[in-house]
Amino acid sequence: MSQFEGFPKACLPFLRKLARNNNREWFNENKHLYEQNIREPALAFIEAMGPELEKISPHFRAIPKKVGGSLMRVYRDTRFAKDKTPYKTNVGIQFRHALGKDVHAPGYYLHIAADGCFFGAGIWRPESKVLNKIREFIADNPNAWQQALTNRAFKNSFELSGESLIRPPRGYRADHPLIEDLKRKDFIALGYFEIAELQKKTFHKFAAKSFAKATPLMSYLCMAVDANF
């Protein structure tokens, strides 16, 4: 595998062209450009992130495999979607916890798209059992939760995002001081960055520094779901 040299300038233009030509014929004709501008640099980035993640926590995995690793599939699951276009027009890279079998476990995430790039940290759409554990942990440890969210490094780089319930979850009062957080269905934080960072040879270092700033949130969530950090 080649050494990471940054994502090519042609990475985002390719994604824009894919958005305009989201069909199998065009993709098959241009698959060599996908390999050259997306998959190969993404796999090199993932490999470069291995030692960087180790410095943050030994429990998150950077797996540079074409299939079944940290690089998410370009193919969309259209079985239950109204949008039947076959390909994703963004690049998704996830670094999951060693205990996690899917995206619902604690993890770090990189999103590359023509309309914006961001880092993510946390747990996206946890199953109900895990979601209840997180809510109970927040209710039992409210001060530590607020300290995590107000940590200067975290607050300056990330913001909580995702969907929430309209009404309080069962068992929690509407006037609970942390009710807005307890209503969350996602416990994720996003941090946007300038697209120009992608092209730098040191982008993996930049990504690692950004992920490290999410440590207050990640360590709290890992503790909530009984996972080591």
Side-chain angles (χ1 to χ4, degrees):
M1 189 175 297
S2 60
Q3 184 175 348
F4 180 65
E5 298 289 339
F7 284 88
K9 288 184 179 180
C11 172
L12 295 181
F14 176 85
L15 294 176
R16 291 190 189 97
K17 290 176 183 177
L18 177 57
R20 295 194 299 267
N21 303 276
N22 202 328
N23 61 78
R24 289 180 175 82
E25 182 178 5
W26 184 90
F27 186 81
N28 288 335
E29 289 176 356
N30 292 274
K31 194 168 183 179
H32 65 288
L33 296 177
Y34 168 74
E35 294 286 345
Q36 178 181 327
N37 297 309
I38 304 290
R39 184 140 75 172
E40 289 177 7
L43 293 177
F45 167 76
I46 292 165
E47 185 170 46
M49 282 297 295
E52 300 298 330
L53 284 173
E54 186 78 18
K55 298 172 187 176
I56 300 172
S57 165
H59 301 289
F60 292 86
R61 301 291 178 256
I63 306 172
K65 292 168 57 178
K66 288 188 175 182
V67 179
S70 297
L71 178 62
M72 300 178 79
R73 286 164 48 90
V74 68
Y75 306 100
R76 294 182 62 250
D77 184 352
T78 61
R79 290 174 299 171
F80 309 108
K82 292 181 180 179
D83 178 4
K84 297 299 181 182
T85 52
Y87 303 104
K88 298 173 185 174
T89 57
N90 67 274
V91 180
I93 296 174
Q94 56 184 346
F95 302 107
R96 298 196 298 260
H97 194 280
L99 295 179
K101 297 179 180 179
D102 57 33
V103 297
H104 306 289
Y108 298 97
Y109 175 71
L110 167 63
H111 184 91
I112 301 173
D115 60 352
C117 301
F118 60 82
F119 297 117
I123 306 179
W124 179 81
R125 207 55 50 85
E127 59 185 24
S128 58
K129 184 178 178 180
V130 176
L131 181 58
N132 288 335
K133 287 183 73 170
I134 297 172
R135 286 172 174 159
E136 288 173 8
F137 196 78
I138 290 174
D140 291 341
N141 303 274
N143 292 337
W145 172 248
Q146 290 178 312
Q147 286 173 11
L149 299 189
T150 56
N151 174 275
R152 182 178 296 178
F154 172 77
K155 191 175 181 180
N156 288 344
S157 300
F158 286 92
E159 185 175 348
L160 288 181
S161 185
E163 295 186 12
S164 295
L165 296 171
I166 296 174
R167 296 174 181 168
R170 184 178 298 175
Y172 296 97
R173 309 187 319 272
D175 62 349
H176 191 288
L178 292 177
I179 193 59
E180 293 307 315
D181 287 326
L182 294 171
K183 285 161 64 175
R184 293 184 181 279
K185 293 193 286 185
D186 303 310
F187 287 87
I188 55 172
L190 305 183
Y192 289 83
F193 62 89
E194 296 294 328
I195 288 175
E197 294 289 343
L198 287 172
Q199 297 168 19
K200 297 179 181 179
K201 295 180 180 181
T202 55
F203 177 66
H204 60 297
K205 301 278 189 183
F206 174 74
K209 286 182 180 179
S210 298
F211 288 150
K213 293 174 182 176
T215 292
L217 174 69
M218 290 295 283
S219 60
Y220 187 96
L221 291 175
C222 282
M223 194 176 297
V225 300
D226 299 321
N228 291 324
F229 183 79

